[in-house]
Every structure is written in C-alpha cells, then in structure tokens.
Amino acid sequence: MKVLIIMGSESDKPVMQESQNHLQFFGIENEMVVASAHRNPDKVREIVVNAQSQGYGVIIAAAGMAAALPGVVSAYTSLPVLGVPLDGGLPGGIDALYSIVQMPAGLPVGTLAVGKAGARNAAVLAARILALGNKQIAERVEAFKQNGYRI
Amino acid sequence: MKVLIIMGSESDKPVMQESQNHLQFFGIENEMVVASAHRNPDKVREIVVNAQSQGYGVIIAAAGMAAALPGVVSAYTSLPVLGVPLDGGLPGGIDALYSIVQMPAGLPVGTLAVGKAGARNAAVLAARILALGNKQIAERVEAFKQNGYRI
Amino acid sequence: MKVLIIMGSESDKPVMQESQNHLQFFGIENEMVVASAHRNPDKVREIVVNAQSQGYGVIIAAAGMAAALPGVVSAYTSLPVLGVPLDGGLPGGIDALYSIVQMPAGLPVGTLAVGKAGARNAAVLAARILALGNKQIAERVEAFKQNGYRI
Amino acid sequence: MKVLIIMGSESDKPVMQESQNHLQFFGIENEMVVASAHRNPDKVREIVVNAQSQGYGVIIAAAGMAAALPGVVSAYTSLPVLGVPLDGGLPGGIDALYSIVQMPAGLPVGTLAVGKAGARNAAVLAARILALGNKQIAERVEAFKQNGYRI
Amino acid sequence: MKVLIIMGSESDKPVMQESQNHLQFFGIENEMVVASAHRNPDKVREIVVNAQSQGYGVIIAAAGMAAALPGVVSAYTSLPVLGVPLDGGLPGGIDALYSIVQMPAGLPVGTLAVGKAGARNAAVLAARILALGNKQIAERVEAFKQNGYRI
Amino acid sequence: MKVLIIMGSESDKPVMQESQNHLQFFGIENEMVVASAHRNPDKVREIVVNAQSQGYGVIIAAAGMAAALPGVVSAYTSLPVLGVPLDGGLPGGIDALYSIVQMPAGLPVGTLAVGKAGARNAAVLAARILALGNKQIAERVEAFKQNGYRI
Amino acid sequence: MKVLIIMGSESDKPVMQESQNHLQFFGIENEMVVASAHRNPDKVREIVVNAQSQGYGVIIAAAGMAAALPGVVSAYTSLPVLGVPLDGGLPGGIDALYSIVQMPAGLPVGTLAVGKAGARNAAVLAARILALGNKQIAERVEAFKQNGYRI
Amino acid sequence: MKVLIIMGSESDKPVMQESQNHLQFFGIENEMVVASAHRNPDKVREIVVNAQSQGYGVIIAAAGMAAALPGVVSAYTSLPVLGVPLDGGLPGGIDALYSIVQMPAGLPVGTLAVGKAGARNAAVLAARILALGNKQIAERVEAFKQNGYRI
C-alpha cells in the first residue's frame, strides 16, 4: 500500500518533503499532490474518493491557517488520515493546529506536531501503520529506531 | 434574494435560531439546513453549488470545533459567505474562531463573534448586504437601528 | 457602488494596498483613506456618515492593536463593514483580531484573517457583495475563480 | 472634581456598581451612565466632550467583548481615562482586555484587571489621582489603606 | 489484532469508555488499563513493550495535564499510538493537548481532539487502521459511515 | 509635581526613554531609576515610600517577565502608579502584561500597552493626570493633541 | 527544618490546606500564614527575612492573579522557594502561572501546577528537598511512593 | 552532593550550559547528560534510578516541545527535580512549559522560566537547596546575592 501526501499549497512542499524523505527511508511508495480544500474542492474530492482503489493505505494531509484539508480528506475516505498543521498564519501555526486536531466525533484526523517535526512524524506513523501488514516496512521501522529515530 | 443558514449539527440550532429570528425581523426570506462539511460533504456541495440559482444571495455558515463548514461553503459558491464560530470544543470556541476567520487569500468568510452575538450579527450583516439592492430591507435596517439594534 | 478602504495609520498602507489591488482587478472603484478612531474620531465620523450618499456600497476598515476602527465605522453606517486585523501589537495581531471580531450583537463587522490574507479577502468579499447587483463584477469574480483565486 | 463612570451596557451595572461603592467611600462625587461606543456613538461623544467642563476630573470606562468604549472616550477628552475590561465574550474577558490595554501610542487608557477587581481598582486609582489635589480624598485613601484596602 | 486503551488515572475511565464503546461497535477486541507514566512508569513500560507480542495492533493512550503517557508509550513500542488529551488541568485541556501533539521528530503520537470527541475518534481511527488488513472491520467502518458516524 | 520612572533592569532603558522623551515634551520634571522588585526590593521600597515627600506625583513602573515591580510600587505608595509591561519573556510580553494588569482589588496599577506604545502612553497619561492641577501641562496636553498625538 | 506556607489571601486557605495535609504526612513541622505582597509588603518582608533563623528550610508561596508573592519571597530569602499559582483571575489561573514561573535570572521560584495539584506537589517537593538531610522524611517520601503517591 | 543536568537533545546544550556555568560558580560538582524520555527511555531510567546512589542530590531536567523528560525523571527518583522548559516548538516554548509545570499531584517538578533565564535559575535553586546542608554552598549563594545575582 502506498501513502498519499496531499497539501494545500505549492509553498508547503519544502516542509512536506520531509514526509516524503522519511517514507522513502521506510521503503514506502508515495505521491505528493497539491490540492486545496478551498481552491480545488472537487480535485480534492476526486483524488481522495479514489485513493483506496488506487492502492493508497494512508493519507497524510497538510495545511496552514484555516486548515480544512485534513478534515475534508477524512470525510471523503475510510483510510486512516494523518494531519500536519503548518505555520503561516497565527504564530506557531496555532490556527492550523486547532483546525486539524479538533475534529468532531466520527471523523478522525490523527494530528502531528506543527511544521517539520509533524511532517516527519506523519511519515513515521504511516510506516508504523503499514508495518502491521508488511514485514519489510516493519523491519525498516526497527532500523529507524536503531538509527536513533533518524533517517 | 433569500439567505441560507447552514450549520454543522442539529445541536447548533438553538444558537442559529437567533440568525433566523433576526432575518425575519428584516423581512428576509430564509431557510435553515443542517449539513456537515465532515459528515455530509456531498450534501453541502450540492446545496451550496445550487444556492445562487435557487435565489439565495447570502449564506450564513456556522460550526464549532474544527469548523471547516464556512470555508468549504465559500469554496463552492461566489455568494458572500458569513461565518459564525460556535462554542463546544476549546473554551470560548477559540478553535472554531481560528478555523473560520483564518481563511487563506482568495476565499473569504466574513466572520462574526463566537456564539449568539455572532449568530445575530450574521443576520444583521446579511441584511446590510441585501439592503444595498432592496429598499424594504434598507428600511428595516434603519428601523433596527432606531430600535437600539434590537428586534 | 464604490468601496471605501479606511485604515488607522499611514503605516497600514503597504498591507491595505493588497485590498486596493484586488478591487481594481474586480473593476471596483475605490478610495483609500487614513483616519484613526482614536486620533481622528470626528474625521472618521464625517467620512463614514456620508459614505453611503457618496456612492460607497461597502467599507473595508483595517487597524492594529486595540483596533476600534472597524466597530466604530459599523456604528456610523448601515453599509456592510468588513474588518481586517493588522499585526503590530501582540504577536500575530491577536489583539486586533479580538478587537474586531468580537463585536456585540447588533453591530456587525465581517472579519477577515489577520494581515495580507485578510486584506486580499476583504476585497474579494466586497466583490462578492457588489456582484449581487452588478453583472460585470460578477463576471470578474468568476474570472478570479478561474484564475485560481489570484489576480 | 467628579468621576464619570461610563459603561457600554445596562448589564454591566452590577459589576460597575463596585466602582461607585468605592468612590462613595472616598467621598468622590460621581455619576454612572450607560452609553455604547457602538450603539450610541454620538451620545458617548457628547457626554465625553463635555465631561471636563461639567466638573469631571477622571473618567472610568468599562466594556466587554470588542471593548472600544474606553479608547473612544480617551479620544474625546484630555482627562485621564481608566478602563475596566468586562467578562462576557471570550473566557476571562481576554477580548475586552486586549481591546482596552493595547491602545496605540498617544491615546492612553490606564487599564485595570478584568471584572470586579478592576471595577474596584478603577475607583481606587481615580481616588489616588484626585487625592493629588484634594486633601480630604487623600485622607480617605489613607483610611482605605489602614482598613486593609477594603471599604 | 486487538486495541489497547491505556490511561493515566481511574478518573479518566468515564471519558475513555467512549473509546471502548466504539471499538465494540467495530468488532475490535480491546482492553482498558490504568497506568500512569508518572505513578507507574515500570508498569507502563512492561505493558507497552509486550503489547505487540500480546496481539495488540494499535494503542490508544489518554492523559490530562502534563500528559506524558502517549509519548512514553510511543517510545516503548513500534505500534501506531493514538493520543487523547483530557481535560482536568488548564481550561479546555490545552496543557494535555500540547503535551501530546507536540512530540519531537521520530516518535509520533496521532493526536485526536480533547475529551470525549477525541476518545471516540481514537477508536474510529484505530478501526480505520485495522480495517486495512481486516475485511470485517472494514465493513463495520462503512456501516459506521452509513449510520451517520454514530454507533 | 515630578514623575518617577522606575524600571527593573538597565536593559529596559531604551524602551523607557520613550516615557522620558514624552514627559519632557509635556514639561514635566522627571527622573529615571533602575531598581528591581526582585534584585533590590529594599531599594525599591525606600525610593517609593519617599516618592511623595520628594515631590513626585505619579510613578511609572516598567518590567518584563514576572513583572512584580508595578504592583510592589503600588503597595508602597498612595500615588497613582502606571505600569508598562515589557517584552523579553513569553512572546509579546504577555507574561508581563498579566503580571501587571491583573492586580487584586485595592492596589491599582493603571496598565498601558506592552512595549514602546505603552512607554509613551504612560507619559501621556501622567501628563493628563498632572494637568488636572497644572495649567501649563494642560496646555501642553492640548498641544500634543493638536500635533496629532506626537511629540 | 520547618516549612513556611505563605499565601496572599484568607481565601487561598482551602487550597493551601492541601500543602499542610501533605507536609503533616511527611512529618514536617510547618506553619501557614496569610500575608500579601501587595497588601502587607512589610509583613511579608519581616516574616521572610527571618524565616531561615526561625528554623525554616523551605518556603511555599501561593497567590492568584498578579501573583507577586512567590517572587518577592525569593527576593527576601536564600531558602528554596516553591510557588503555587492559584485560580481566581484569568481562566485556569494562567495569570498567576506566568507571574510566578517567569522569574528573571537569579531569583528562582520552583513553580508547581495551578491549584490543588500544585499545592500538594509543593509539599512533596519540599519533602524531597528536606529528605536530603533527614532520614525520617526520606522514609516518609518512600512511604508516600509506596502508597501510590497519596497520603 | 552533585547535581545532574539531563536534557532531551544535543541541541539543548547551549542553553543548559548556563546551568552548568552557574553551578560551577556555586562550587557544585555536576554532570551534563543528553538522554531523551522519548528516544532513550531506558537510558533515562537507568541514569535516574541510580542518581541518588551515585551522589546526586538534585536533578535539573530540560526539554522542549512535548517535554516529558522532567516528569519522567521525577517518576524515577525521590530526589528534588527542577524543570527547564525550552523553546523550539510553539512560540515562547509554551508547549514545553505546560508539559513540565502541569504535573499531576504526587510527582512534583519545580519549574523555572522558559529558556536561558530558567536554565540559570535551575542552578540557583539547586544551590539554595544544597546550601541547606552545606555551608560552603550557602556562602556562595550569599556571594551570588552580593554580586547582584550574577556570576
């Protein structure tokens, strides 16, 4: 199973590249796509609705400010969705953090720390999830741990 | 032109009833509908995409916690969208406030105060907007002012 | 109908220029004026009381710190008032945000995001409002959308 | 010299009664008036512009939420203005606090604590100010201190 | 694979019961255990180190105040760890939220909303994760969705 | 009557110089002294207890972080005390702001904005206070107003 | 060595009784005294300056709102000072927390959690400190641990 | 008795060097060690469980973000534990501050200010603690005071 990294803006790429780098360490196929819940809601819908049938197992969604993307992604899929709040609006990305973590009951987004630490951890958590059904990834997760949690 | 009041949950109705009461004072036809950006994204999409052709001129969108609804509504329409953050998650509804007001450039949500004051003011702002093209509403806006900003 | 952009200080101009640039994209006549609710309350009063008769349809009001201007503008007019909180006091402009969005019931200010995103969105929301009664602006709003919400 | 207590809403009276009770302990003539910077800007203007000529020496201004009143009062007078943030909007009255204390350079509002403690302290600070030119009040200020800062 | 629900205190049970109720709806075997990262660090260690070999596939960890438990659990396992911040210290459980979501790079905790909404969503996210390798759970996840995201 | 400017640290001088510059504009004799409520409590006590008899009419006290100085000054004098919260600890000086403005009932500190705006406004408020009993200062206060609230 | 518990107000006693109850469990002689850094600065000074010579080894200081007491106590003694922020002003006692924990370099206050948890922990930390030189207290600290950190 | 300085990351050393510099001024033997509650929980456990028998009397623990280290250290020892929140995650290190100071009842961490001021004060508080049983350190504490609380 692959991991889909979806982010709201081209400008989020330098941070979310951290997710991709980590996924590659874990040997997890992945794709990065830019689609905004506000600017391209139908593109988001189409990508996410079809994600599972296209072989994705986990979706990492990242956005800043009024960060609706992760929650909207969770609405369009039954896959586990991991959210990464990004800086850019209120200091520390607190607006994005609250917009992502405070999902109402029923529609979960597993939220990571704001910014680069969160981008890395989203990939690690995706790896832990996929490792449940994939021995090779499980071995890479152990290698990551042996490596001091660094790639 | 009518006003559409859309809210994320049945439990938001007692607060959003304040919007409806005020719209009725201004003589503005309106409808209240419950549809969640997370639980019913396609319902939200369909209602909002068709709102303008159905005679709506302003949409009031209210939600609590990770309040994606107003922003998503703004994504599906070119009508002016007014947002009402609701209490229910973090104290004072600060999570909903940040989720609504901090929209990225291009997709505005005119945000009002958290809770009942905001629910009332969304209706008043809708009335001010529609009064630009409707003398009867304009007269009611003046009557509201003469009345000490009370209905 | 024109749009009036009023701001509390000369130093707010670089941010509010974003509003003007966007209004020009939408083909909306506008004027920028500096007048402080604290330093020039009578100037504010006079400008705002006469705004409607002078052909303005929407007022965008921007201020930082204890940002009283948007609320005071709302008190002196029945036009729709849009508020832009500006940075400059507490980090992230949180003081200006609370001073603008938390208006008491009866006197609405449709509040946008802090800073440049809000300055742009105030213009977009003004365009959406004026588009209700003006086909040319409505076409420009669609062009803006087709353009990826950029000017 | 008298003290004027001005507040934005009838509902603020129970808290601001604390100011009045304390002023009476200090033997300071005073008057309480309800006038909102948003609902009655011209009434506020008229009262405040004439306050000094009517024998007032200090103005205590109290408001909640987007508490513009104290700053607007400071704009219309050269008397010392003391501000009392009131609860009612965001938890702890933090919106009112920021709206009052963060005045831009040139227009001061001497801000006290949120709520009853602030209402009392506004009166005590007014007494300390008037005591500079009035021995009887100065004696009452000492009596207050001897009394354990209670009336 | 089973789900382990671990919480810091007996008093957390009424909230975390929501996780258990939801897991039962999804047909996921689970166990609730009380062990504090501060009061019983060695108990936590022993339970968590052995969780995978005991058949657990996901761990839900909940705590309030300085909520170290979810992070410590993540340190002792390679299983996916989901964190639920609980109220009890600072208003809204903001202390627990920051203590859980702001994990440093390498050690992820997928964090859910504060309180009951988070307790429910931790179970739903666990179900989505386990559904990747279990058709029966996948069917229950769809049933949950059809049921309006309620059990 | 003179104004005493007291601050907790040498490093506060560049900001508090703003107070002094403004007091000089108003023609108010003043003195700046560095004394910390924590490092030199007895020095603070001695200076403040004798301030009134030495001809001071108002005390401006400024400090950052756990800013106890303004409150302690208020405890040792019956003169009006104005507080200026300074940046240096938590972002925006929010720690100093809360430490100064939230004085318990009985011991007021009239608090101004954080940083330079507050330093200026403390001087302006001192001038407004002393103007009550001094025509020359009153004239300078009007000149300041005519000058656009600038020196 | 004894422990001195000093608090700003009679109304703090129900919370600080928790400190006393825990100190008694540890067999540590103690005394509770009410003295405010604002209302009784000289009383605070006298008590604290003499604390060491009177046999005290640790001072626990508790206050709410602009909680200057713990820092002022630290200024008047070389004993270790532990601070307990109390609720009563801003929600969650955040004003007291910042006023106590953010002490400038040189004058430490070891700060505990807001409210009852902090009141208990101040006693436990005092016991750990005194246990360094007193075997009986050390044994009671172990007994406390064996008892599940409860008295 | 020695002081152990433990911190979560190599990158914390420049700040925690301040603790070491101050301890050296007080003539207190100390050791700095890097061990993370998340990356090396067993290393933390082993170091801390043996700290008392190795001659340590106080432990200073520093960490940023979800700063579990100080609390976990407190769980593994009966020595007094002092916590230093470090910047690096949310602005001002507020996430680390809440993660350290809000310890549940029974397991105290005496928390100092965020960053360098806290790093220095942890050493000063350790010196005050050890001075209770060591005259030479007590003399150095007085020398520090005479020196204006600087080394």
Side-chain angles (χ1 to χ4, degrees), chain D residues 5-26:
Chain D
I5 306 171
I6 187 167
M7 71 201 78
S9 157
E10 280 289 333
S11 63
D12 303 334
K13 272 194 173 163
V15 174
M16 295 315 295
Q17 187 63 43
E18 301 279 341
S19 285
Q20 190 164 56
N21 296 347
H22 277 65
L23 289 172
Q24 278 156 3
F25 174 91
F26 293 115

PDB file of all heavy atoms in Angstrom, chain D residues 5-26:
ATOM      1  N   ILE D   5     -18.508  57.495  35.478  1.00  0.00           N
ATOM      2  CA  ILE D   5     -18.421  56.058  35.160  1.00  0.00           C
ATOM      3  C   ILE D   5     -19.302  55.805  33.947  1.00  0.00           C
ATOM      4  O   ILE D   5     -20.512  55.973  34.014  1.00  0.00           O
ATOM      5  CB  ILE D   5     -18.917  55.182  36.335  1.00  0.00           C
ATOM      6  CG1 ILE D   5     -18.177  55.535  37.628  1.00  0.00           C
ATOM      7  CG2 ILE D   5     -18.744  53.700  36.011  1.00  0.00           C
ATOM      8  CD1 ILE D   5     -18.765  54.855  38.869  1.00  0.00           C
ATOM      9  N   ILE D   6     -18.695  55.400  32.861  1.00  0.00           N
ATOM     10  CA  ILE D   6     -19.444  55.145  31.632  1.00  0.00           C
ATOM     11  C   ILE D   6     -19.258  53.684  31.247  1.00  0.00           C
ATOM     12  O   ILE D   6     -18.146  53.151  31.327  1.00  0.00           O
ATOM     13  CB  ILE D   6     -19.010  56.120  30.505  1.00  0.00           C
ATOM     14  CG1 ILE D   6     -19.900  55.990  29.274  1.00  0.00           C
ATOM     15  CG2 ILE D   6     -17.555  55.965  30.153  1.00  0.00           C
ATOM     16  CD1 ILE D   6     -19.704  57.135  28.268  1.00  0.00           C
ATOM     17  N   MET D   7     -20.361  53.047  30.872  1.00  0.00           N
ATOM     18  CA  MET D   7     -20.246  51.619  30.525  1.00  0.00           C
ATOM     19  C   MET D   7     -21.109  51.336  29.306  1.00  0.00           C
ATOM     20  O   MET D   7     -22.066  52.065  29.019  1.00  0.00           O
ATOM     21  CB  MET D   7     -20.673  50.765  31.707  1.00  0.00           C
ATOM     22  CG  MET D   7     -22.144  50.797  32.000  1.00  0.00           C
ATOM     23  SD  MET D   7     -22.518  50.296  33.704  1.00  0.00           S
ATOM     24  CE  MET D   7     -22.094  51.824  34.579  1.00  0.00           C
ATOM     25  N   GLY D   8     -20.770  50.254  28.604  1.00  0.00           N
ATOM     26  CA  GLY D   8     -21.388  50.011  27.313  1.00  0.00           C
ATOM     27  C   GLY D   8     -22.797  49.458  27.357  1.00  0.00           C
ATOM     28  O   GLY D   8     -23.532  49.542  26.374  1.00  0.00           O
ATOM     29  N   SER D   9     -23.200  48.875  28.490  1.00  0.00           N
ATOM     30  CA  SER D   9     -24.475  48.157  28.508  1.00  0.00           C
ATOM     31  C   SER D   9     -25.077  48.164  29.920  1.00  0.00           C
ATOM     32  O   SER D   9     -24.352  48.155  30.929  1.00  0.00           O
ATOM     33  CB  SER D   9     -24.236  46.720  28.038  1.00  0.00           C
ATOM     34  OG  SER D   9     -25.242  45.853  28.492  1.00  0.00           O
ATOM     35  N   GLU D  10     -26.411  48.167  29.967  1.00  0.00           N
ATOM     36  CA  GLU D  10     -27.110  48.069  31.257  1.00  0.00           C
ATOM     37  C   GLU D  10     -26.615  46.874  32.064  1.00  0.00           C
ATOM     38  O   GLU D  10     -26.526  46.923  33.284  1.00  0.00           O
ATOM     39  CB  GLU D  10     -28.620  47.899  31.019  1.00  0.00           C
ATOM     40  CG  GLU D  10     -29.384  49.168  30.694  1.00  0.00           C
ATOM     41  CD  GLU D  10     -29.528  50.106  31.893  1.00  0.00           C
ATOM     42  OE1 GLU D  10     -29.517  49.616  33.032  1.00  0.00           O
ATOM     43  OE2 GLU D  10     -29.621  51.325  31.664  1.00  0.00           O
ATOM     44  N   SER D  11     -26.292  45.811  31.343  1.00  0.00           N
ATOM     45  CA  SER D  11     -25.909  44.577  32.037  1.00  0.00           C
ATOM     46  C   SER D  11     -24.550  44.686  32.718  1.00  0.00           C
ATOM     47  O   SER D  11     -24.155  43.796  33.467  1.00  0.00           O
ATOM     48  CB  SER D  11     -25.902  43.407  31.044  1.00  0.00           C
ATOM     49  OG  SER D  11     -24.915  43.639  30.055  1.00  0.00           O
ATOM     50  N   ASP D  12     -23.829  45.775  32.457  1.00  0.00           N
ATOM     51  CA  ASP D  12     -22.538  45.960  33.119  1.00  0.00           C
ATOM     52  C   ASP D  12     -22.692  46.576  34.510  1.00  0.00           C
ATOM     53  O   ASP D  12     -21.722  46.649  35.269  1.00  0.00           O
ATOM     54  CB  ASP D  12     -21.631  46.878  32.286  1.00  0.00           C
ATOM     55  CG  ASP D  12     -21.394  46.377  30.880  1.00  0.00           C
ATOM     56  OD1 ASP D  12     -21.487  45.157  30.665  1.00  0.00           O
ATOM     57  OD2 ASP D  12     -21.101  47.195  29.991  1.00  0.00           O
ATOM     58  N   LYS D  13     -23.903  47.030  34.824  1.00  0.00           N
ATOM     59  CA  LYS D  13     -24.096  47.788  36.070  1.00  0.00           C
ATOM     60  C   LYS D  13     -23.727  47.028  37.340  1.00  0.00           C
ATOM     61  O   LYS D  13     -23.085  47.600  38.226  1.00  0.00           O
ATOM     62  CB  LYS D  13     -25.536  48.306  36.146  1.00  0.00           C
ATOM     63  CG  LYS D  13     -25.696  49.662  35.460  1.00  0.00           C
ATOM     64  CD  LYS D  13     -27.019  50.311  35.844  1.00  0.00           C
ATOM     65  CE  LYS D  13     -27.083  51.741  35.298  1.00  0.00           C
ATOM     66  NZ  LYS D  13     -28.484  52.239  35.295  1.00  0.00           N
ATOM     67  N   PRO D  14     -24.109  45.752  37.468  1.00  0.00           N
ATOM     68  CA  PRO D  14     -23.754  45.071  38.726  1.00  0.00           C
ATOM     69  C   PRO D  14     -22.252  45.066  39.002  1.00  0.00           C
ATOM     70  O   PRO D  14     -21.832  45.179  40.150  1.00  0.00           O
ATOM     71  CB  PRO D  14     -24.283  43.649  38.507  1.00  0.00           C
ATOM     72  CG  PRO D  14     -25.351  43.787  37.473  1.00  0.00           C
ATOM     73  CD  PRO D  14     -24.925  44.917  36.587  1.00  0.00           C
ATOM     74  N   VAL D  15     -21.460  44.949  37.959  1.00  0.00           N
ATOM     75  CA  VAL D  15     -20.006  44.986  38.180  1.00  0.00           C
ATOM     76  C   VAL D  15     -19.546  46.411  38.468  1.00  0.00           C
ATOM     77  O   VAL D  15     -18.798  46.663  39.416  1.00  0.00           O
ATOM     78  CB  VAL D  15     -19.248  44.416  36.957  1.00  0.00           C
ATOM     79  CG1 VAL D  15     -17.746  44.585  37.136  1.00  0.00           C
ATOM     80  CG2 VAL D  15     -19.587  42.951  36.747  1.00  0.00           C
ATOM     81  N   MET D  16     -20.034  47.365  37.686  1.00  0.00           N
ATOM     82  CA  MET D  16     -19.532  48.729  37.833  1.00  0.00           C
ATOM     83  C   MET D  16     -20.076  49.417  39.084  1.00  0.00           C
ATOM     84  O   MET D  16     -19.522  50.436  39.517  1.00  0.00           O
ATOM     85  CB  MET D  16     -19.834  49.538  36.576  1.00  0.00           C
ATOM     86  CG  MET D  16     -19.092  49.001  35.349  1.00  0.00           C
ATOM     87  SD  MET D  16     -17.337  48.625  35.668  1.00  0.00           S
ATOM     88  CE  MET D  16     -16.730  50.279  36.010  1.00  0.00           C
ATOM     89  N   GLN D  17     -21.103  48.854  39.673  1.00  0.00           N
ATOM     90  CA  GLN D  17     -21.567  49.339  40.977  1.00  0.00           C
ATOM     91  C   GLN D  17     -20.416  49.303  41.991  1.00  0.00           C
ATOM     92  O   GLN D  17     -20.361  50.119  42.909  1.00  0.00           O
ATOM     93  CB  GLN D  17     -22.730  48.449  41.444  1.00  0.00           C
ATOM     94  CG  GLN D  17     -23.424  48.914  42.704  1.00  0.00           C
ATOM     95  CD  GLN D  17     -24.089  50.268  42.516  1.00  0.00           C
ATOM     96  OE1 GLN D  17     -24.718  50.524  41.505  1.00  0.00           O
ATOM     97  NE2 GLN D  17     -23.883  51.155  43.484  1.00  0.00           N
ATOM     98  N   GLU D  18     -19.494  48.358  41.785  1.00  0.00           N
ATOM     99  CA  GLU D  18     -18.319  48.279  42.667  1.00  0.00           C
ATOM    100  C   GLU D  18     -17.481  49.553  42.584  1.00  0.00           C
ATOM    101  O   GLU D  18     -16.929  50.009  43.592  1.00  0.00           O
ATOM    102  CB  GLU D  18     -17.440  47.080  42.264  1.00  0.00           C
ATOM    103  CG  GLU D  18     -18.128  45.740  42.325  1.00  0.00           C
ATOM    104  CD  GLU D  18     -18.172  45.178  43.734  1.00  0.00           C
ATOM    105  OE1 GLU D  18     -17.376  45.640  44.574  1.00  0.00           O
ATOM    106  OE2 GLU D  18     -19.010  44.297  43.993  1.00  0.00           O
ATOM    107  N   SER D  19     -17.369  50.108  41.393  1.00  0.00           N
ATOM    108  CA  SER D  19     -16.652  51.377  41.255  1.00  0.00           C
ATOM    109  C   SER D  19     -17.362  52.458  42.061  1.00  0.00           C
ATOM    110  O   SER D  19     -16.741  53.203  42.831  1.00  0.00           O
ATOM    111  CB  SER D  19     -16.593  51.828  39.788  1.00  0.00           C
ATOM    112  OG  SER D  19     -15.674  51.071  39.054  1.00  0.00           O
ATOM    113  N   GLN D  20     -18.670  52.515  41.879  1.00  0.00           N
ATOM    114  CA  GLN D  20     -19.436  53.564  42.554  1.00  0.00           C
ATOM    115  C   GLN D  20     -19.340  53.424  44.080  1.00  0.00           C
ATOM    116  O   GLN D  20     -19.109  54.413  44.784  1.00  0.00           O
ATOM    117  CB  GLN D  20     -20.892  53.495  42.104  1.00  0.00           C
ATOM    118  CG  GLN D  20     -21.682  54.701  42.567  1.00  0.00           C
ATOM    119  CD  GLN D  20     -22.982  54.847  41.833  1.00  0.00           C
ATOM    120  OE1 GLN D  20     -23.811  53.945  41.816  1.00  0.00           O
ATOM    121  NE2 GLN D  20     -23.184  55.996  41.214  1.00  0.00           N
ATOM    122  N   ASN D  21     -19.493  52.200  44.562  1.00  0.00           N
ATOM    123  CA  ASN D  21     -19.384  51.989  46.010  1.00  0.00           C
ATOM    124  C   ASN D  21     -18.049  52.478  46.541  1.00  0.00           C
ATOM    125  O   ASN D  21     -17.972  53.102  47.611  1.00  0.00           O
ATOM    126  CB  ASN D  21     -19.549  50.511  46.353  1.00  0.00           C
ATOM    127  CG  ASN D  21     -20.927  49.988  46.009  1.00  0.00           C
ATOM    128  OD1 ASN D  21     -21.841  50.766  45.743  1.00  0.00           O
ATOM    129  ND2 ASN D  21     -21.065  48.661  45.981  1.00  0.00           N
ATOM    130  N   HIS D  22     -16.998  52.196  45.804  1.00  0.00           N
ATOM    131  CA  HIS D  22     -15.678  52.615  46.276  1.00  0.00           C
ATOM    132  C   HIS D  22     -15.520  54.137  46.182  1.00  0.00           C
ATOM    133  O   HIS D  22     -14.953  54.754  47.091  1.00  0.00           O
ATOM    134  CB  HIS D  22     -14.573  51.895  45.495  1.00  0.00           C
ATOM    135  CG  HIS D  22     -14.279  50.528  46.038  1.00  0.00           C
ATOM    136  ND1 HIS D  22     -15.188  49.502  46.014  1.00  0.00           N
ATOM    137  CD2 HIS D  22     -13.164  50.016  46.665  1.00  0.00           C
ATOM    138  CE1 HIS D  22     -14.667  48.424  46.579  1.00  0.00           C
ATOM    139  NE2 HIS D  22     -13.445  48.712  46.964  1.00  0.00           N
ATOM    140  N   LEU D  23     -16.000  54.734  45.116  1.00  0.00           N
ATOM    141  CA  LEU D  23     -15.901  56.203  45.004  1.00  0.00           C
ATOM    142  C   LEU D  23     -16.632  56.874  46.158  1.00  0.00           C
ATOM    143  O   LEU D  23     -16.157  57.886  46.703  1.00  0.00           O
ATOM    144  CB  LEU D  23     -16.470  56.668  43.659  1.00  0.00           C
ATOM    145  CG  LEU D  23     -15.614  56.302  42.451  1.00  0.00           C
ATOM    146  CD1 LEU D  23     -16.351  56.640  41.150  1.00  0.00           C
ATOM    147  CD2 LEU D  23     -14.258  57.018  42.470  1.00  0.00           C
ATOM    148  N   GLN D  24     -17.769  56.290  46.533  1.00  0.00           N
ATOM    149  CA  GLN D  24     -18.502  56.884  47.654  1.00  0.00           C
ATOM    150  C   GLN D  24     -17.705  56.780  48.955  1.00  0.00           C
ATOM    151  O   GLN D  24     -17.690  57.710  49.754  1.00  0.00           O
ATOM    152  CB  GLN D  24     -19.891  56.238  47.758  1.00  0.00           C
ATOM    153  CG  GLN D  24     -20.849  56.907  46.771  1.00  0.00           C
ATOM    154  CD  GLN D  24     -22.028  56.053  46.365  1.00  0.00           C
ATOM    155  OE1 GLN D  24     -22.205  54.938  46.842  1.00  0.00           O
ATOM    156  NE2 GLN D  24     -22.851  56.576  45.454  1.00  0.00           N
ATOM    157  N   PHE D  25     -17.023  55.665  49.145  1.00  0.00           N
ATOM    158  CA  PHE D  25     -16.150  55.535  50.323  1.00  0.00           C
ATOM    159  C   PHE D  25     -15.113  56.655  50.344  1.00  0.00           C
ATOM    160  O   PHE D  25     -14.787  57.202  51.404  1.00  0.00           O
ATOM    161  CB  PHE D  25     -15.450  54.169  50.314  1.00  0.00           C
ATOM    162  CG  PHE D  25     -14.434  54.009  51.416  1.00  0.00           C
ATOM    163  CD1 PHE D  25     -14.788  53.480  52.644  1.00  0.00           C
ATOM    164  CD2 PHE D  25     -13.106  54.406  51.226  1.00  0.00           C
ATOM    165  CE1 PHE D  25     -13.847  53.346  53.660  1.00  0.00           C
ATOM    166  CE2 PHE D  25     -12.163  54.274  52.238  1.00  0.00           C
ATOM    167  CZ  PHE D  25     -12.532  53.745  53.459  1.00  0.00           C
ATOM    168  N   PHE D  26     -14.587  56.981  49.177  1.00  0.00           N
ATOM    169  CA  PHE D  26     -13.552  58.027  49.105  1.00  0.00           C
ATOM    170  C   PHE D  26     -14.152  59.437  49.122  1.00  0.00           C
ATOM    171  O   PHE D  26     -13.418  60.422  49.075  1.00  0.00           O
ATOM    172  CB  PHE D  26     -12.710  57.851  47.825  1.00  0.00           C
ATOM    173  CG  PHE D  26     -11.886  56.605  47.814  1.00  0.00           C
ATOM    174  CD1 PHE D  26     -12.122  55.590  46.897  1.00  0.00           C
ATOM    175  CD2 PHE D  26     -10.868  56.424  48.744  1.00  0.00           C
ATOM    176  CE1 PHE D  26     -11.363  54.428  46.898  1.00  0.00           C
ATOM    177  CE2 PHE D  26     -10.102  55.262  48.748  1.00  0.00           C
ATOM    178  CZ  PHE D  26     -10.356  54.258  47.833  1.00  0.00           C
TER     179      PHE D  26
END
